[in-house]
Amino acid sequence: MTRAKPSNGNKERTIYVCQGTGCISGKSFEITEALKKAVKEQGLQGVNIDFTGCHGFCEQGPVAIVEPEGIFYAHVTVADVPEIVESHLRDGKPVERLFYKDPVSGEAIPYHKDIKFYSMQQRIVLRNCGRLNPERIEDYMAVGGYESLKKVLKEITPEQVIDEVKRSGLRGRGGAGFPTGTKWEFCHNAVGDQKYMICNADEGDPGAFMDRSTMEGDPHTVIEGMTIAAYAIGASEGYIYIRAEYPLAVKRVRLAIQQAEEKGFLGDKIQGSDFSLHIHVKEGAGAFVCGEETALLASIEGKRGMPRPRPPFPANSGLWGKPTTINNVKSLATVPVIIDKGTEWYASTGTEKSKGTCVFALTGKIANSGLIEVPMGIPLRKIIYEIGGGIPGNKKFKAVQTGGPSGGCLPESFLDQSVDYESLAAAGSMMGSGGMVVMDEETCMVDVARYFLSFTQAESCGKCVPCRIGTKQMLDILERICQGEGRPEDIPLLQQLGEQIKAGSLCGLGQTAPNPVLTTLRYFRDEYEAHINEKRCPALSCTKLISFYILPDKCQGCGICARECPTECIAGGKRMVHVIDQEKCVRCGTCLEVCPERFSAIIKVSAEEVDVPSEPIPVKEKPKAAAA
Amino acid sequence: MIPLAKDNLTKADVQDKLKEIFSHYQGDKQELIPILQETQENFRYVPAAAMREIARFLRMPESTIYGVSTFYAQFKLTPLGKKLIRVCRGTACHVRGASKVLAEVEKQLGIKAGQTSDDLEYTLETVACIGACALAPTMTIDNETYGKMTTKKVAEVLGDTSKAE
Ligand SMILES: Cc1cc2nc3c(=O)[nH]c(=O)nc-3n(C[C@H](O)[C@H](O)[C@H](O)COP(=O)(O)O)c2cc1C
């Protein structure tokens, strides 16, 4: 394949098809192949077909960008390929029907740079994601890649590197936000013949996928940052610990390591200096707790991934008892930029205590879901309503969940607050790894709390009692509340258990596991009370507490619901008002889904009796005019 | 205690395969997880006989191998079906109706999450998050990811693979 040289002078064009995991599930491999074939058949000159990693806008996938003009195509299919090739690549006429449509205005937007989802972001970690081919080191080098490493090796001492990273204000993006430079200094100063540098790419938080996208879209940035970190602390061996559920990331990182070795950016005597580093990839084996640093170390050593008490901290006694630094993917991906552009440049973005940008996986009930990178301190409202395009289907915003199972649910009143480490923590949540799940009026907050507890309870490694038994007790209580069997004393009990588990657990898993419950108790207590006292689920979501009814004045007796009902609990007949047998109904909601919109005869209620006939009755004839 | 599978692999089958696997390793204790991963890839589970061989190769007690195998969700002690179907239960999938998708898959396959069909065709599992959250709810069949699932799409997606055979 020839390399793309986007220059505006001649008519050379490159179409970059996204090959991140999301777009691949939309058949982007096949799209790439079809494009290659069609371009060849047409005999087009000066047209390159290439691919990139994740663009972040997975919801619109599969996506493709035509450079140099920057035309953005959304929801591309193999069937669209002939039109793209003939109309755009051959005749120069972009295919309008594939343009992105703004969810608010409905306007079609041709250029990548004009799409609000992108234009309001500030990309540092994700700067190259979706912009270059992640499987070619030359592409990374062409945009200045590995220049920071060269500069460091040639003219900066490890102490100076540490000092620069300290002054930049970079804090760890793995969740806790510990200052990266200080962490490196501890390890640099620790005494040991062998030191280790570890990249934590376990990303176990459900609802987060930025580390994956960074590794799939720009693996060299992570390797460059890691190599600079290893130089600063004095490590000659490194490990990247990637979760096994990410096969594509594993593949691209392995390839990148091999390419970096070939170019002399890894291995012995890097770039002719005295510094050597060998990086190994370790695949996780499906245990969330292995993201915790001491558990991760145990897992690399081949043991069960169970945390141990700290101190000693890994900086003094880490892998095989040697001084070790563990950093998150995003923390490391930021380092080359800080070296390149300087500490002042980096520190000029963000708030006083939280510098730089943060990456969020914006998902859930939101129009534009995907990966975003925004300056620290941005108001939440801007993320949700401007970048995210608001809540789809005219639904009302209810909460946003940040920090995954360690974080909390924040209510509408938080929308105008700044998003940074301090303000999220003050609200009872945390930055965590950057999941940001938006919830609307149909999401039940008690169920969300139950969901997270079922996750942490299952993932608790079992070593310490508060986490192992405490989370189980909390989950049991939440389950009975969702089933309508909650008791008034459950609320104070949950509160008390939550605080004790936080205080008594060995590692971060247990210390943060109660957060989803405590924050929902704090901001959405009325929902707990409705479940317990009125046996009512205000979001109409908990199956045990809802019922479906067919409204006699709306039902036209079409019979679709009765045919589709999986438990055959709907009685009816032609032109008869249908009736649901409440005893037999399993509340699956199929009838509501299939009832034709023009009838909208089925309603969902909670703790409410609706007056309907007990047996099917004939449909009342409507006056002619109304029926038309 | 997780029971070990009663399988009909012969000792020789297991030993031959493992000999080949061991040739990629030095015999260091830290190699246990990668060895288990390769074993599982070959047999689609970790047979009891393999644990014995691995214990010998790494000079570790067999109970440690069993302990590590049961700690990590990736390792299975009973054979997986030919197709591994996973329904994602990540947060984004949860709020967008993953439990309905799961119920539909369970209904169509006639097995519950965590089970393998009697004919060893399918294993159904849930997974904490596959990181394709913007396409929620999602499910995977072996290495294929299917996004924006609905109960209606389940039959289509399941049918997709039976046809591909
Ligand atoms: C249960 C648990 C899971 C964690 N998972 C991750 C993870 O997936 N990725 C990560 O980078 N850090 C994770 N952490 C945080 C790590 O322990 C560690 O603080 C982090 O990797 C340090 O990197 P940083 O300084 O660059 O933030 C987890 C912590 C806990 C308690």
Side-chain angles (χ1 to χ4, degrees):
Chain A
M1 209 182 328
T2 45
R3 283 243 315 118
K5 274 260 163 19
S7 69
N8 293 316
N10 59 29
K11 276 238 183 113
E12 185 129 325
R13 279 209 188 87
T14 303
I15 176 159
Y16 288 99
V17 183
C18 174
Q19 288 188 4
T21 293
C23 287
I24 288 173
S25 79
K27 304 220 175 319
S28 69
F29 282 146
E30 287 85 343
I31 294 167
T32 314
E33 288 312 309
L35 278 167
K36 281 187 192 157
K37 197 160 150 246
V39 164
K40 206 162 159 204
E41 275 169 12
Q42 291 279 330
L44 298 188
Q45 296 297 313
V47 173
N48 305 304
I49 313 296
D50 209 340
F51 70 90
T52 65
C54 182
H55 288 231
F57 210 176
C58 316
E59 138 102 342
Q60 295 290 320
V63 304
I65 295 188
V66 183
E67 298 285 10
E69 30 324 18
I71 297 273
F72 180 88
Y73 288 133
H75 298 304
V76 180
T77 64
V78 173
D80 298 323
V81 166
E83 195 178 346
I84 295 177
V85 171
E86 288 162 35
S87 171
H88 188 170
L89 302 176
R90 188 189 64 198
D91 304 339
K93 225 172 90 316
V95 184
E96 271 178 46
R97 68 180 176 84
L98 295 175
F99 289 168
Y100 164 76
K101 316 259 175 336
D102 188 282
V104 180
S105 66
E107 189 192 349
I109 302 175
Y111 297 105
H112 173 268
K113 63 173 173 28
D114 298 331
I115 297 174
K116 259 195 183 163
F117 177 79
Y118 287 112
S119 62
M120 300 196 47
Q121 295 190 37
Q122 183 182 342
R123 290 188 157 202
I124 295 178
V125 173
L126 303 175
R127 66 196 180 283
N128 295 324
C129 283
R131 312 298 284 177
L132 50 75
N133 184 322
E135 297 188 2
R136 269 200 314 259
I137 192 170
E138 293 83 3
D139 278 31
Y140 181 62
M141 290 166 68
V143 295
Y146 288 109
E147 289 301 321
S148 297
L149 175 64
K150 285 193 208 159
K151 181 167 146 191
V152 163
L153 292 178
K154 218 182 281 159
E155 44 193 86
I156 312 181
T157 64
E159 291 78 7
Q160 284 169 325
V161 174
I162 290 171
D163 186 52
E164 286 207 21
V165 173
K166 268 168 101 176
R167 278 192 293 122
S168 75
L170 175 64
R171 293 171 64 177
R173 297 301 195 249
F178 193 82
T180 305
T182 310
K183 192 183 250 190
W184 292 3
E185 192 170 43
F186 289 152
C187 194
H188 174 85
N189 292 340
V191 184
D193 49 346
Q194 173 73 56
K195 293 181 185 175
Y196 294 100
M197 179 66 219
I198 293 175
C199 171
N200 187 344
D202 195 43
E203 196 166 59
D205 277 16
F209 57 103
M210 52 284 285
D211 293 356
R212 152 191 221 144
S213 294
T214 309
M215 289 183 289
E216 286 178 3
D218 196 13
H220 286 287
T221 305
V222 182
I223 292 171
E224 185 178 7
M226 190 171 164
T227 311
I228 294 171
Y231 171 78
I233 64 169
S236 58
E237 293 288 326
Y239 287 90
I240 303 183
Y241 188 91
I242 310 183
R243 67 194 294 238
E245 287 88 342
Y246 287 179
L248 184 62
V250 170
K251 177 183 156 222
R252 291 204 175 137
V253 166
R254 285 217 160 102
L255 183 67
I257 290 174
Q258 190 192 330
Q259 291 173 342
E261 282 169 354
E262 282 162 14
K263 295 266 182 219
F265 296 123
L266 274 181
D268 290 324
K269 300 207 173 299
I270 297 173
Q271 298 292 301
S273 72
D274 283 334
F275 171 65
S276 303
L277 177 69
H278 297 270
I279 295 183
H280 315 275
V281 173
K282 281 273 175 180
E283 283 182 58
F288 170 66
V289 71
C290 287
E292 195 280 336
E293 55 187 24
T294 59
L296 186 150
L297 295 173
S299 180
I300 293 183
E301 291 173 1
K303 303 178 188 151
R304 291 176 178 216
M306 286 189 170
R308 59 157 178 81
R310 296 172 305 177
F313 285 92
N316 294 308
S317 177
L319 197 58
W320 293 295
K322 306 286 184 194
T324 304
T325 295
I326 298 150
N327 277 125
N328 172 260
V329 171
K330 293 167 296 272
S331 317
L332 294 173
T334 311
V335 170
V337 191
I338 293 176
I339 301 290
D340 177 36
K341 300 204 170 172
T343 53
E344 274 93 62
W345 176 85
Y346 187 76
S348 67
T349 301
T351 66
E352 196 201 326
K353 287 192 174 154
S354 304
K355 298 295 183 199
T357 55
C358 43
V359 182
F360 287 108
L362 187 60
T363 61
K365 307 286 187 74
I366 185 95
N368 295 334
S369 64
L371 271 194
I372 59 163
E373 184 170 357
V374 289
M376 288 275 187
I378 187 173
L380 192 58
R381 184 184 295 283
K382 226 171 163 164
I383 297 183
I384 291 175
Y385 288 96
E386 296 185 35
I387 299 175
I391 320 293
N394 288 320
K395 299 270 160 57
K396 217 170 128 315
F397 171 90
K398 185 190 270 182
V400 62
Q401 207 280 343
T402 70
S406 310
C409 294
L410 306 175
E412 202 175 355
S413 61
F414 192 81
L415 276 175
D416 292 304
Q417 297 238 2
S418 131
V419 174
D420 57 61
Y421 289 105
E422 278 70 31
S423 66
L424 286 175
S429 184
M430 67 185 278
M431 190 74 101
S433 58
M436 186 175 267
V437 186
V438 181
M439 297 166 185
D440 68 9
E441 56 195 339
E442 291 179 350
T443 317
C444 168
M445 301 318 283
V446 185
D447 176 65
V448 166
R450 183 199 59 76
Y451 163 78
F452 280 114
L453 254 290
S454 72
F455 176 83
T456 36
Q457 190 271 325
E459 293 295 340
S460 169
C461 79
K463 183 165 177 168
C464 72
V465 177
C467 177
R468 181 180 72 232
I469 298 178
T471 53
K472 176 76 178 121
Q473 293 304 319
M474 286 184 91
L475 178 60
D476 284 349
I477 298 172
L478 290 163
E479 272 175 349
R480 74 168 175 249
I481 298 177
C482 287
Q483 310 255 329
E485 286 154 23
R487 309 165 195 158
E489 65 272 22
D490 281 345
I491 292 180
L493 192 55
L494 278 175
Q495 187 91 35
Q496 190 191 3
L497 267 170
E499 274 149 24
Q500 286 168 351
I501 296 169
K502 273 178 88 119
S505 295
L506 172 62
C507 86
L509 197 158
Q511 287 159 10
T512 57
N515 285 348
V517 182
L518 296 175
T519 50
T520 46
L521 278 174
R522 177 163 158 194
Y523 301 114
F524 302 96
R525 182 177 289 254
D526 54 328
E527 291 199 26
Y528 282 84
E529 288 165 351
H531 281 75
I532 294 172
N533 303 331
E534 304 163 41
K535 311 295 171 211
R536 179 172 68 87
C537 174
L540 303 178
S541 144
C542 293
T543 31
K544 278 276 165 67
L545 302 181
I546 55 171
S547 357
F548 293 86
Y549 289 96
I550 301 175
L551 298 173
D553 55 334
K554 294 217 172 137
C555 176
Q556 296 297 309
C558 73
I560 292 183
C561 58
R563 272 202 304 283
E564 298 283 332
C565 172
T567 55
E568 298 184 345
C569 74
I570 304 181
K574 208 164 169 229
R575 305 288 295 150
M576 298 289 272
V577 167
H578 284 51
V579 178
I580 298 174
D581 179 343
Q582 298 296 335
E583 292 284 295
K584 268 198 194 165
C585 173
V586 293
R587 283 112 178 132
C588 68
T590 305
C591 52
L592 180 65
E593 261 168 54
V594 298
C595 180
E597 220 182 301
R598 60 185 191 282
F599 304 147
S600 296
I602 299 181
I603 58 162
K604 180 161 66 165
V605 295
S606 181
E608 217 181 292
E609 288 255 345
V610 178
D611 193 21
V612 295
S614 57
E615 295 281 313
I617 51 165
V619 169
K620 237 189 254 152
E621 282 304 326
K622 280 198 185 155
K624 270 262 143 54
Chain B
M1 187 87 184
I2 300 175
L4 298 166
K6 283 193 219 66
D7 44 48
N8 39 25
L9 286 170
T10 68
K11 206 171 151 192
D13 289 344
V14 174
Q15 281 176 336
D16 286 353
K17 192 80 235 168
L18 281 175
K19 215 179 201 171
E20 189 194 317
I21 294 175
F22 292 157
S23 70
H24 313 152
Y25 299 90
Q26 264 91 49
D28 280 350
K29 294 198 180 353
Q30 56 152 315
E31 291 168 338
L32 174 56
I33 293 169
I35 290 175
L36 285 170
Q37 282 168 332
E38 225 179 304
T39 306
Q40 160 126 343
E41 213 169 280
N42 270 285
F43 296 101
R44 290 183 74 74
Y45 74 112
V46 182
M51 287 194 209
R52 217 156 299 141
E53 296 299 319
I54 296 170
R56 218 165 277 154
F57 178 63
L58 296 178
R59 295 177 312 281
M60 282 174 159
E62 215 175 308
S63 61
T64 306
I65 317 285
Y66 177 82
V68 171
S69 310
T70 52
F71 183 83
Y72 293 98
Q74 191 185 5
F75 303 124
K76 311 290 173 211
L77 303 194
T78 49
L80 284 180
K82 270 195 221 133
K83 292 203 189 78
L84 177 58
I85 298 172
R86 292 172 141 164
V87 178
C88 182
R89 303 235 287 176
T91 322
C93 291
H94 178 77
V95 305
R96 285 202 193 173
S99 43
K100 279 192 185 160
V101 174
L102 177 64
E104 185 65 24
V105 176
E106 286 181 335
K107 192 173 118 202
Q108 297 214 3
L109 294 181
I111 48 175
K112 293 273 170 210
Q115 295 179 340
T116 298
S117 60
D118 288 339
D119 57 3
L120 288 184
E121 277 299 310
Y122 301 103
T123 294
L124 177 61
E125 282 186 349
T126 59
V127 53
C129 181
I130 59 158
C133 317
L135 302 175
T138 62
M139 63 184 274
T140 64
I141 301 180
D142 296 327
N143 289 326
E144 289 277 326
T145 306
Y146 299 87
K148 299 189 185 169
M149 288 301 301
T150 57
T151 45
K152 286 218 187 81
K153 258 175 84 177
V154 168
E156 188 189 317
V157 165
L158 291 176
D160 206 22
T161 60
S162 54
K163 249 181 277 146
E165 283 293 283

